[in-house]
Every structure is written in C-alpha cells, then in structure tokens.
Amino acid sequence: MQNWKYNHIDFSSYPFYGGDDLGVHTTGKEISVKIWAPGAQCVDFFVYRESEGGMPVRIDSLKQEKDGCWILHLGGNFKGLYYTFRVKNGEWMNETPGVDARAVGINGKRGLFFIPEETNPDGWELDQPIILENQVDAIVYEVHVRDFSIAANSGMINKGKFLAFTEQGTKGPGGFASGIDHLKELGITHVHLLPVADFYTVDERQPDSKYNWGYDPLNFNAPEGSYSSNPDTTARIREFKELVMALHQAGLGVVFDAVYNHTGYTRRSWFNQTVPGYYYRQNPDGSFSDATGCGNEIASERAMVRKYIIDSVCYWATEFHVDGFRFDLMGVFDIDTMNGIRAALDQLRPGMLLYGEGWTAAESPMPEKYRAVKVNANRLDRIACFNDDFRDAVKGHNFDSRERGFVSGRTLSEEPVKFGVVAACNHPQIVYSYVGNGGFPWAGEPHQTVTYVSAHDNLTLFDKLRMSNPDTDLATIKQMHKLAGALVLTSQGISFLHAGIEFCRTKDGDHNSYKSPDSINQLDWAGKQEFQDVFQYYKALVSLRKNVPGLRMRSSNHIRQSLRFSPLYQIGVISYTIEDYPGETRWKTMHLVFNASVRAITVDLVRPGRWTVIACESEIDLNGLRQFEDNQVSVPPISMMILVQRSEDSQ
Ligand code: CA
C-alpha cells in the first residue's frame, strides 16, 4: 500500500530539470518521450490503438537519465495512436497520460500522438494577439463556453461548443444579435472563458448528460473535449484555436481561466501517480491540505511545480495565442511563482492581462506573507486582484442573499464603494477603517484592481437585487441594476462584467450553479429583447468608458491629483469630480453623481458656469443631453448623472 504521507520528505532535495522538452513529441517519423519522475524505480510506456480499453500494441521501458528524467526514443509513425505512462514507486502506480500531455483521447485518460502544426486552422499564422496599452483599458466579459450558445434561442448552430464563437450573423429572439456579434455590439474588449483546459466531471461521450463549470482540472495542457465536435481527436485543439482566431478577428482578446491551484483528483491525479506527494502541500499530520476547498492544493513553491505552471501558462499563450490569464484562487500560489509567470510572459509578449482571485477558500499551511493574496497585491508584478469589498458594498454581501447594498438603499456603504471608484488605491478622502475586510489600500496602482459586482460565483446581480428587495417593483430593480453597472464601468481599474449582466441574467436564485443544468446556467437570449433598455444602457456605459480616458487613469498619482470626492456627506450619494486629468483633453472638469436614494437630490457643483449633462437616468451621450448654467443640479432617484465643463465654460 502506498503511504500517502510525505511530510518527512525534503522535496527540495529532488533534482531540478530546466529543459523545455518534457512530454511526448511526435514528428510522424519518430517519437521522443521525456518525463520527470525522480524517485521512480521504473517507468513504462504503453501504446494503444484506442483512447479507452483494448490491449497495448507495445510496451517499452523508459531509460533513466539525469535530473530525475526518464527518456525514450522510438522510430515510426505513431500519429493517431494513444499512450500512457506507468511509474513504479515502491509499487506500480496507475496508468496515466502523464502530466504534460497536450493532446488526449476521450475523457483525457490517454495521451494522443499528434503533430501540433496539423491542428492549426487556415490563417492561423496570421492571427494577431490583442495587446493593451494598459491593463486598465480592459473591459472583461466572463462567460462559460457552454452557457454562451446552449440555449434553444441562441441562434447558434454549434451549441455548447468552441465553434459557436466563430458563428457570425446569429440572432436571438426579436431579431437582436446574439453570439460574437452581440459581444461586438456590447463593445467589451476581452472574453474571459471559464475553464477550457481538460476537466473530468463532464463525460465527453455524453456532454449533455451532466453540466459543470470545469474547475476540476485533469489535463492542464489539453483543451476540454466536451466543447469540441470530436473529443477523441485533435478537434478540441483546432476548434479552440478557431475560437481564439474568431475573437481576435472581432478585435476581442481571450482570457484563459487558469486553475493550477488544485486537481480534480487527489491520490489518483496524474501528479500523484507520477511523483507521489511532490505537487501538493500537506498538513502536519500528513493529510493533503485543502486551501481550495476542492480536496487538495498545489505546492507552487516547489521548483518543478513552479516550472510546470509557468511552462503551461506560456504554452497556452504561444500555442493558442491567448491574451490574458485569470488565476483561480490565486491566494494558493506563492508570490514568486506569480511574478515568475509575469516575467516569463513578458519574454513572450509584454503587457498581457493578468488578474486573479486574491484569496483562498480555506486555510493553507503556507504562511499568508508568502502567498498571492489581496493584501500582498503590491508585491505582485502587474497582476490584479478582484475587489470584493466594492462588489459587496454595491449590491450587498455575496453570502447573504437578503443583504442590500449601496444601489439598493443600504446606508453607510459609501466608503467601500468610493474605495472601488479609486481602484483600491490610496486616496486621502477615503476612511479605510470603513472599507471592510481589506481596510487598507492594497493596490498601489489602478491596474492592480479588477472592479466588478458579479461573476460566475454567487447570485447574478439581477437575482441578488430581487432577493434582497422582495417588495420592490421591476422598474426600480432595473434602475438599481443600471446604477451598479454605471459604478463598475466608470470606476478606475480593470472593468469586469459577468456574462448576461447586460440583460439582467437570472439563474433563478441559484447561488452556486457549478453543476446545475443548462436551464439554470444558459444565457437566455430572450433577456436581450426583454431588457433591451438595460442592454442599451450597458452598451452606452462601455462606450463611455472607452471614450473617456479619465475613467481609466494610468496611475494612482493621477487619481489622487485629479479625482476629488464631494466633502459634503449625503446619505446614499457618491459625488466626485475628475479635474485637470492630463489624458482628458475635451473637458476641464467631469462631475459624476451616483444617487442611490429613492428621491431626487440636489448636488452642489464645484463651481458655477455652463455645464453639459452627458449622462442622466438611462441616457448617455458624449455630445451632451442638455446644457445649463447654475451652481447646483438635481439628480433623479437611483441613477447616475455625469456633467462636464470645458475650461472656457467655467467661471
Ligand atoms: Ca474532459
């Protein structure tokens, strides 16, 4: 029996291998195989005709090499055949595709011999990544591959598949654009896909029988098969590339949801079946520690684990041209690993978009000071953290469905909302002791903060507002919904939208839909028709953000110098000016007012003179909705107003 307690082993004594040739490489004339398995007594390599079952057509033993590696070279054309490894570590471990497999057969149980160049769609060599001048220019749209197209009314043919993202001209109910045309219409800059690397819960033979978000990783370097037209072949690779290329052609970047913090299996994982214990942290009693709440946590601080993660991220960036990464439970990783990822990506393509969840789901044996959590955001190199203080302040706490937030009339939540306005940076007008858990400006610069109110986790914004305001009519809920969007898309930092927020997506009150059916999770495109006014407002907000540099300031110094909150406290009101921002050439002053109260309020303007209203209630128009001369303005209930003034119009 394998003893699964490894706390007695000094893993730092394991040899490091720095080469880039691990895994199985196929040319059509020969194969070369190399795996890192220090401590193994033997490593066998099996070749099969089938991706599951059947007898091996040959079995070879790998030869031990230096640095903990084992190698094998064989002549012949193996393309289209499948393989597994089996490691002897005291006893024989299970057969696995190894930890490096880039192509796998159905359900990811065996590796697939393939020639990478043959998976490139036509025109792939011309595909161009999306490069941002600054991370704060990103407006991210987070969507699950299946949810995007699976609804009967999506208008897309390749339902639930990567290829749905390549379909042009699709329409949903009412003839409104759906699919990629909808994304272009909304104007977002990046599509953040929930995990697209191979995961294990969904049976790829019957992808419609079970739903899952995909936070149960199996093969980190192969795309998920259930999203492809044929999971037993390289279709999953080619079709994901087609998705990337289609989004790039639409001017949209692709963000890869990186789930290296844990594996779906623990003892049975390919990691543990190859180098037992090495890839995971353990508790003092020798049990697997579980800061992810998923059964285990990856020991990113170990040299070969760190190399594994960095190599894998770089593989997705180079082979698949993805433009950014979102790190799931990033707080599990050590800071050096995250900065190592940034450094490696900078070598490939500077300025990629990186952000993550700056927390864990539970305690980790690794001390917090070493981990990539929000409070250490300033020690991370251009890697943003989600601002959950702002999220919870705007709509009410995530874990209490009944708690209201700023937009729904909760008072004394103004300070954490202001904290979000300045992207969690230091600002002299914020009382940080009122900001909640964070309690201090953890972001040094605005590009270190993701500003959002909802994501795939927890209730959708619409459900949250309805459940916390059960007696409120729909028209008012929609006003709150718009005000929340206005706060996200005018605040500093990286903007992040949960798919469907733009048309009041509901999951029928399901707060954790990770394995709920399509009926709950799908994007119901009827929402775009029903909530067309909400969609038009969110679209206008996106356009506003893209056209007004003052909403995307590059540095916290600029925010401190140009952004000034009204010194007068009014309950349920946030009012601030952006003045003399060097990047803003049109206007000397912008005055933004967010009135969350149920009655109109009067706000003093910073000075008299001629003011132009560019946003009021549901309307936004950069050319101006109306002009007036006064030193006060009335702001309607539950709405945002933006007023602007040119130098020559001020007195
Ligand atoms: Ca899978």
PDB file of all heavy atoms in Angstrom, residues 374-375 377-378 385 419 422-426 440-449 556 560:
ATOM      1  N   LYS A 374      -4.744  39.254  -1.725  1.00  0.00           N
ATOM      2  CA  LYS A 374      -5.025  40.668  -1.970  1.00  0.00           C
ATOM      3  C   LYS A 374      -4.134  41.595  -1.141  1.00  0.00           C
ATOM      4  O   LYS A 374      -3.643  42.602  -1.655  1.00  0.00           O
ATOM      5  CB  LYS A 374      -6.494  40.887  -1.601  1.00  0.00           C
ATOM      6  CG  LYS A 374      -7.218  41.936  -2.313  1.00  0.00           C
ATOM      7  CD  LYS A 374      -8.727  41.860  -1.990  1.00  0.00           C
ATOM      8  CE  LYS A 374      -9.010  41.853  -0.500  1.00  0.00           C
ATOM      9  NZ  LYS A 374     -10.439  41.921  -0.172  1.00  0.00           N
ATOM     10  N   VAL A 375      -3.928  41.250   0.118  1.00  0.00           N
ATOM     11  CA  VAL A 375      -3.138  42.154   0.963  1.00  0.00           C
ATOM     12  C   VAL A 375      -1.688  42.244   0.494  1.00  0.00           C
ATOM     13  O   VAL A 375      -0.966  43.156   0.889  1.00  0.00           O
ATOM     14  CB  VAL A 375      -3.181  41.750   2.465  1.00  0.00           C
ATOM     15  CG1 VAL A 375      -4.581  41.909   3.013  1.00  0.00           C
ATOM     16  CG2 VAL A 375      -2.653  40.344   2.678  1.00  0.00           C
ATOM     17  N   ALA A 377      -1.012  42.376  -2.793  1.00  0.00           N
ATOM     18  CA  ALA A 377      -1.145  42.751  -4.212  1.00  0.00           C
ATOM     19  C   ALA A 377       0.008  43.625  -4.683  1.00  0.00           C
ATOM     20  O   ALA A 377       0.453  43.534  -5.832  1.00  0.00           O
ATOM     21  CB  ALA A 377      -2.470  43.475  -4.444  1.00  0.00           C
ATOM     22  N   ASN A 378       0.515  44.440  -3.772  1.00  0.00           N
ATOM     23  CA  ASN A 378       1.581  45.356  -4.160  1.00  0.00           C
ATOM     24  C   ASN A 378       2.903  44.669  -4.431  1.00  0.00           C
ATOM     25  O   ASN A 378       3.816  45.267  -4.997  1.00  0.00           O
ATOM     26  CB  ASN A 378       1.770  46.398  -3.061  1.00  0.00           C
ATOM     27  CG  ASN A 378       1.379  47.755  -3.564  1.00  0.00           C
ATOM     28  OD1 ASN A 378       1.497  48.010  -4.764  1.00  0.00           O
ATOM     29  ND2 ASN A 378       0.913  48.606  -2.671  1.00  0.00           N
ATOM     30  N   CYS A 385      -6.016  42.023  -8.575  1.00  0.00           N
ATOM     31  CA  CYS A 385      -6.897  41.230  -7.711  1.00  0.00           C
ATOM     32  C   CYS A 385      -8.324  41.767  -7.828  1.00  0.00           C
ATOM     33  O   CYS A 385      -8.542  42.968  -7.996  1.00  0.00           O
ATOM     34  CB  CYS A 385      -6.462  41.337  -6.253  1.00  0.00           C
ATOM     35  SG  CYS A 385      -4.856  40.594  -5.916  1.00  0.00           S
ATOM     36  N   PHE A 419     -13.944  53.337  -2.332  1.00  0.00           N
ATOM     37  CA  PHE A 419     -12.710  52.541  -2.410  1.00  0.00           C
ATOM     38  C   PHE A 419     -12.598  51.884  -3.798  1.00  0.00           C
ATOM     39  O   PHE A 419     -11.511  51.785  -4.371  1.00  0.00           O
ATOM     40  CB  PHE A 419     -12.768  51.488  -1.296  1.00  0.00           C
ATOM     41  CG  PHE A 419     -11.634  50.525  -1.225  1.00  0.00           C
ATOM     42  CD1 PHE A 419     -10.367  50.925  -0.861  1.00  0.00           C
ATOM     43  CD2 PHE A 419     -11.854  49.173  -1.473  1.00  0.00           C
ATOM     44  CE1 PHE A 419      -9.328  50.014  -0.747  1.00  0.00           C
ATOM     45  CE2 PHE A 419     -10.816  48.251  -1.358  1.00  0.00           C
ATOM     46  CZ  PHE A 419      -9.558  48.675  -1.002  1.00  0.00           C
ATOM     47  N   VAL A 422     -11.742  54.426  -6.705  1.00  0.00           N
ATOM     48  CA  VAL A 422     -10.315  54.729  -6.859  1.00  0.00           C
ATOM     49  C   VAL A 422      -9.473  53.463  -7.024  1.00  0.00           C
ATOM     50  O   VAL A 422      -8.255  53.475  -6.838  1.00  0.00           O
ATOM     51  CB  VAL A 422      -9.771  55.579  -5.680  1.00  0.00           C
ATOM     52  CG1 VAL A 422     -10.511  56.903  -5.595  1.00  0.00           C
ATOM     53  CG2 VAL A 422      -9.856  54.824  -4.350  1.00  0.00           C
ATOM     54  N   ALA A 423     -10.140  52.332  -7.383  1.00  0.00           N
ATOM     55  CA  ALA A 423      -9.429  51.083  -7.699  1.00  0.00           C
ATOM     56  C   ALA A 423      -8.575  50.583  -6.538  1.00  0.00           C
ATOM     57  O   ALA A 423      -7.459  50.097  -6.747  1.00  0.00           O
ATOM     58  CB  ALA A 423      -8.595  51.240  -8.971  1.00  0.00           C
ATOM     59  N   ALA A 424      -9.097  50.704  -5.327  1.00  0.00           N
ATOM     60  CA  ALA A 424      -8.431  50.166  -4.131  1.00  0.00           C
ATOM     61  C   ALA A 424      -7.067  50.805  -3.866  1.00  0.00           C
ATOM     62  O   ALA A 424      -6.235  50.265  -3.148  1.00  0.00           O
ATOM     63  CB  ALA A 424      -8.297  48.637  -4.195  1.00  0.00           C
ATOM     64  N   CYS A 425      -6.871  51.989  -4.474  1.00  0.00           N
ATOM     65  CA  CYS A 425      -5.608  52.710  -4.250  1.00  0.00           C
ATOM     66  C   CYS A 425      -5.742  53.649  -3.039  1.00  0.00           C
ATOM     67  O   CYS A 425      -6.821  53.855  -2.512  1.00  0.00           O
ATOM     68  CB  CYS A 425      -5.253  53.533  -5.484  1.00  0.00           C
ATOM     69  SG  CYS A 425      -4.865  52.538  -6.929  1.00  0.00           S
ATOM     70  N   ASN A 426      -4.611  54.205  -2.672  1.00  0.00           N
ATOM     71  CA  ASN A 426      -4.611  55.157  -1.566  1.00  0.00           C
ATOM     72  C   ASN A 426      -5.181  56.495  -2.046  1.00  0.00           C
ATOM     73  O   ASN A 426      -4.777  57.015  -3.091  1.00  0.00           O
ATOM     74  CB  ASN A 426      -3.173  55.342  -1.060  1.00  0.00           C
ATOM     75  CG  ASN A 426      -3.144  56.033   0.288  1.00  0.00           C
ATOM     76  OD1 ASN A 426      -4.179  56.180   0.941  1.00  0.00           O
ATOM     77  ND2 ASN A 426      -1.975  56.465   0.696  1.00  0.00           N
ATOM     78  N   PHE A 440      -7.470  48.633   4.025  1.00  0.00           N
ATOM     79  CA  PHE A 440      -6.354  49.495   3.639  1.00  0.00           C
ATOM     80  C   PHE A 440      -6.195  49.440   2.123  1.00  0.00           C
ATOM     81  O   PHE A 440      -6.705  48.529   1.472  1.00  0.00           O
ATOM     82  CB  PHE A 440      -5.063  49.099   4.357  1.00  0.00           C
ATOM     83  CG  PHE A 440      -4.353  47.921   3.765  1.00  0.00           C
ATOM     84  CD1 PHE A 440      -3.214  48.087   2.997  1.00  0.00           C
ATOM     85  CD2 PHE A 440      -4.825  46.636   3.982  1.00  0.00           C
ATOM     86  CE1 PHE A 440      -2.557  47.009   2.445  1.00  0.00           C
ATOM     87  CE2 PHE A 440      -4.166  45.547   3.441  1.00  0.00           C
ATOM     88  CZ  PHE A 440      -3.034  45.729   2.674  1.00  0.00           C
ATOM     89  N   PRO A 441      -5.530  50.431   1.555  1.00  0.00           N
ATOM     90  CA  PRO A 441      -5.404  50.479   0.096  1.00  0.00           C
ATOM     91  C   PRO A 441      -4.399  49.447  -0.415  1.00  0.00           C
ATOM     92  O   PRO A 441      -3.206  49.732  -0.533  1.00  0.00           O
ATOM     93  CB  PRO A 441      -4.910  51.906  -0.167  1.00  0.00           C
ATOM     94  CG  PRO A 441      -4.250  52.330   1.097  1.00  0.00           C
ATOM     95  CD  PRO A 441      -4.938  51.621   2.211  1.00  0.00           C
ATOM     96  N   TRP A 442      -4.902  48.268  -0.713  1.00  0.00           N
ATOM     97  CA  TRP A 442      -3.973  47.185  -1.072  1.00  0.00           C
ATOM     98  C   TRP A 442      -3.401  47.339  -2.480  1.00  0.00           C
ATOM     99  O   TRP A 442      -2.407  46.702  -2.811  1.00  0.00           O
ATOM    100  CB  TRP A 442      -4.601  45.813  -0.868  1.00  0.00           C
ATOM    101  CG  TRP A 442      -6.017  45.641  -1.354  1.00  0.00           C
ATOM    102  CD1 TRP A 442      -7.138  45.708  -0.587  1.00  0.00           C
ATOM    103  CD2 TRP A 442      -6.472  45.361  -2.693  1.00  0.00           C
ATOM    104  NE1 TRP A 442      -8.264  45.492  -1.355  1.00  0.00           N
ATOM    105  CE2 TRP A 442      -7.887  45.278  -2.649  1.00  0.00           C
ATOM    106  CE3 TRP A 442      -5.830  45.173  -3.921  1.00  0.00           C
ATOM    107  CZ2 TRP A 442      -8.665  45.017  -3.777  1.00  0.00           C
ATOM    108  CZ3 TRP A 442      -6.602  44.917  -5.045  1.00  0.00           C
ATOM    109  CH2 TRP A 442      -8.002  44.836  -4.967  1.00  0.00           C
ATOM    110  N   ALA A 443      -4.038  48.158  -3.326  1.00  0.00           N
ATOM    111  CA  ALA A 443      -3.498  48.353  -4.677  1.00  0.00           C
ATOM    112  C   ALA A 443      -2.615  49.594  -4.708  1.00  0.00           C
ATOM    113  O   ALA A 443      -3.019  50.662  -4.253  1.00  0.00           O
ATOM    114  CB  ALA A 443      -4.625  48.496  -5.689  1.00  0.00           C
ATOM    115  N   GLY A 444      -1.429  49.451  -5.253  1.00  0.00           N
ATOM    116  CA  GLY A 444      -0.563  50.615  -5.422  1.00  0.00           C
ATOM    117  C   GLY A 444      -0.959  51.400  -6.647  1.00  0.00           C
ATOM    118  O   GLY A 444      -0.822  52.625  -6.692  1.00  0.00           O
ATOM    119  N   GLU A 445      -1.452  50.693  -7.671  1.00  0.00           N
ATOM    120  CA  GLU A 445      -1.797  51.309  -8.951  1.00  0.00           C
ATOM    121  C   GLU A 445      -3.131  50.745  -9.434  1.00  0.00           C
ATOM    122  O   GLU A 445      -3.488  49.621  -9.089  1.00  0.00           O
ATOM    123  CB  GLU A 445      -0.699  51.035  -9.997  1.00  0.00           C
ATOM    124  CG  GLU A 445       0.656  51.667  -9.677  1.00  0.00           C
ATOM    125  CD  GLU A 445       0.623  53.190  -9.624  1.00  0.00           C
ATOM    126  OE1 GLU A 445      -0.299  53.788 -10.212  1.00  0.00           O
ATOM    127  OE2 GLU A 445       1.515  53.777  -8.976  1.00  0.00           O
ATOM    128  N   PRO A 446      -3.842  51.524 -10.247  1.00  0.00           N
ATOM    129  CA  PRO A 446      -5.177  51.060 -10.668  1.00  0.00           C
ATOM    130  C   PRO A 446      -5.163  49.758 -11.469  1.00  0.00           C
ATOM    131  O   PRO A 446      -6.141  49.020 -11.450  1.00  0.00           O
ATOM    132  CB  PRO A 446      -5.716  52.230 -11.502  1.00  0.00           C
ATOM    133  CG  PRO A 446      -4.535  53.104 -11.800  1.00  0.00           C
ATOM    134  CD  PRO A 446      -3.552  52.886 -10.710  1.00  0.00           C
ATOM    135  N   HIS A 447      -4.057  49.469 -12.151  1.00  0.00           N
ATOM    136  CA  HIS A 447      -4.030  48.224 -12.930  1.00  0.00           C
ATOM    137  C   HIS A 447      -3.936  46.989 -12.032  1.00  0.00           C
ATOM    138  O   HIS A 447      -3.915  45.866 -12.508  1.00  0.00           O
ATOM    139  CB  HIS A 447      -2.876  48.246 -13.943  1.00  0.00           C
ATOM    140  CG  HIS A 447      -1.513  48.266 -13.326  1.00  0.00           C
ATOM    141  ND1 HIS A 447      -0.679  49.347 -13.416  1.00  0.00           N
ATOM    142  CD2 HIS A 447      -0.847  47.344 -12.592  1.00  0.00           C
ATOM    143  CE1 HIS A 447       0.444  49.082 -12.775  1.00  0.00           C
ATOM    144  NE2 HIS A 447       0.358  47.879 -12.257  1.00  0.00           N
ATOM    145  N   GLN A 448      -3.883  47.192 -10.726  1.00  0.00           N
ATOM    146  CA  GLN A 448      -3.831  46.049  -9.804  1.00  0.00           C
ATOM    147  C   GLN A 448      -5.209  45.656  -9.282  1.00  0.00           C
ATOM    148  O   GLN A 448      -5.321  44.795  -8.412  1.00  0.00           O
ATOM    149  CB  GLN A 448      -2.913  46.380  -8.624  1.00  0.00           C
ATOM    150  CG  GLN A 448      -1.446  46.489  -9.047  1.00  0.00           C
ATOM    151  CD  GLN A 448      -0.558  46.994  -7.922  1.00  0.00           C
ATOM    152  OE1 GLN A 448      -0.789  48.062  -7.365  1.00  0.00           O
ATOM    153  NE2 GLN A 448       0.444  46.207  -7.571  1.00  0.00           N
ATOM    154  N   THR A 449      -6.240  46.296  -9.809  1.00  0.00           N
ATOM    155  CA  THR A 449      -7.588  46.051  -9.292  1.00  0.00           C
ATOM    156  C   THR A 449      -8.571  45.698 -10.396  1.00  0.00           C
ATOM    157  O   THR A 449      -8.619  46.369 -11.430  1.00  0.00           O
ATOM    158  CB  THR A 449      -8.107  47.322  -8.581  1.00  0.00           C
ATOM    159  OG1 THR A 449      -7.193  47.654  -7.551  1.00  0.00           O
ATOM    160  CG2 THR A 449      -9.473  47.083  -7.968  1.00  0.00           C
ATOM    161  N   SER A 556      -1.980  55.887  -9.853  1.00  0.00           N
ATOM    162  CA  SER A 556      -2.682  56.293  -8.632  1.00  0.00           C
ATOM    163  C   SER A 556      -2.366  57.751  -8.298  1.00  0.00           C
ATOM    164  O   SER A 556      -3.172  58.437  -7.682  1.00  0.00           O
ATOM    165  CB  SER A 556      -2.304  55.371  -7.467  1.00  0.00           C
ATOM    166  OG  SER A 556      -0.919  55.415  -7.247  1.00  0.00           O
ATOM    167  N   ARG A 560      -5.160  60.481  -7.324  1.00  0.00           N
ATOM    168  CA  ARG A 560      -5.100  61.348  -6.131  1.00  0.00           C
ATOM    169  C   ARG A 560      -5.148  62.827  -6.503  1.00  0.00           C
ATOM    170  O   ARG A 560      -5.752  63.638  -5.809  1.00  0.00           O
ATOM    171  CB  ARG A 560      -3.834  61.044  -5.314  1.00  0.00           C
ATOM    172  CG  ARG A 560      -3.956  59.804  -4.440  1.00  0.00           C
ATOM    173  CD  ARG A 560      -2.720  59.594  -3.569  1.00  0.00           C
ATOM    174  NE  ARG A 560      -1.561  59.168  -4.347  1.00  0.00           N
ATOM    175  CZ  ARG A 560      -1.285  57.890  -4.651  1.00  0.00           C
ATOM    176  NH1 ARG A 560      -2.082  56.931  -4.231  1.00  0.00           N
ATOM    177  NH2 ARG A 560      -0.224  57.570  -5.351  1.00  0.00           N
TER     178      ARG A 560
END
